[in-house]
Amino acid sequence: MKTKLTKQLESTLYQYCLEQGAYVVEEVAMPADKGIVDTLSYQQLPDGQIEWRCYELKVTKADFHSKAKLSFIGHYNYFVLPQQLYLEVQSEIPDHIGVLIYRAFDQRALELAPQPLRTPGFLTVAKKAQRQDLQVEQTPLISHFITSLFREVDKAKRVKKGLQLYSDDQLFKELRKRSRTGYDVYDPEQNLYDRFIDDTQNDAVTALQTELDARNAEYQTLKLKYQALTAPDLRDQL
């Protein structure tokens, strides 16, 4: 599971790459068994060349020293680190690997912003990356990049469609399963099934009340028209 800080780094880096004019996707499996890079960006240069940048996100010293393979196969490669972690590990970072430092916006900055900020913080370049030759073949790398982009698009479409993707039977089975685990008879508000039933009943009552109010309004309108037509002065005129 990603920590809150990891997600903050990830969303800030995503926006940073977009502002650089690059296409970007997270968690891309590298060809030739080169591991999985946290974030990979693809940028078309004015001369027609393609530039690849790899980013590895680390939030703790233990994370930095993890045995997971570092997929620094791009033309430029970076660690993305919180300020304090960078101070602790900067001597261990190879010369050719760059570093982006993440800093969160403070609450005051968020309150004074003229419009909602797109990211929870910002990145600064603490160490420039040195260019290297691409460490894998470009054609399969493009294929892996497109595959990861498709995964994210598919995920977004599923989220947008939400529960429409599931049949009534699937939803009912999941509701029954959750109602059996951890059911608290003394605190119904904590039980998913009871909450669902209460909300459904409340929705039904609200819908019926709305319909009743509409019918009452229609009745009052018809009653006034009838009274106007049957008033003595109007009847005499007719």
Side-chain angles (χ1 to χ4, degrees), residues 57-142:
L57 286 62
K58 306 294 181 182
V59 296
T60 66
K61 201 167 184 178
D63 190 19
F64 183 85
H65 291 139
S66 168
K67 294 182 180 179
K69 185 180 295 185
L70 295 174
S71 299
F72 285 142
I73 57 84
H75 295 113
Y76 295 93
N77 304 278
Y78 298 84
F79 280 113
V80 184
L81 311 171
Q83 171 75 23
Q84 184 57 43
L85 180 58
Y86 175 57
L87 296 177
E88 295 175 4
V89 302
Q90 59 181 325
S91 62
E92 304 177 47
I93 298 173
D95 291 340
H96 68 290
I97 303 299
V99 178
L100 298 179
I101 297 297
Y102 170 78
R103 294 180 177 87
F105 292 120
D106 58 33
Q107 189 59 37
R108 182 64 174 166
L110 294 174
E111 293 172 354
L112 294 177
Q115 59 186 11
L117 298 174
R118 294 186 177 183
T119 62
F122 61 97
L123 296 173
T124 56
V125 179
K127 181 172 176 286
K128 290 186 177 180
Q130 299 176 16
R131 183 180 174 86
Q132 67 176 16
D133 292 336
L134 194 64
Q135 302 297 297
V136 296
E137 293 294 327
Q138 183 161 270
T139 299
L141 182 58
I142 291 175

Side-chain angles (χ1 to χ4, degrees), residues 207-223:
L208 290 172
Q209 185 63 54
T210 300
E211 183 177 354
L212 181 60
D213 291 343
R215 291 186 178 275
N216 283 335
E218 184 179 358
Y219 169 74
Q220 294 298 330
T221 300
L222 292 173
K223 183 177 179 181

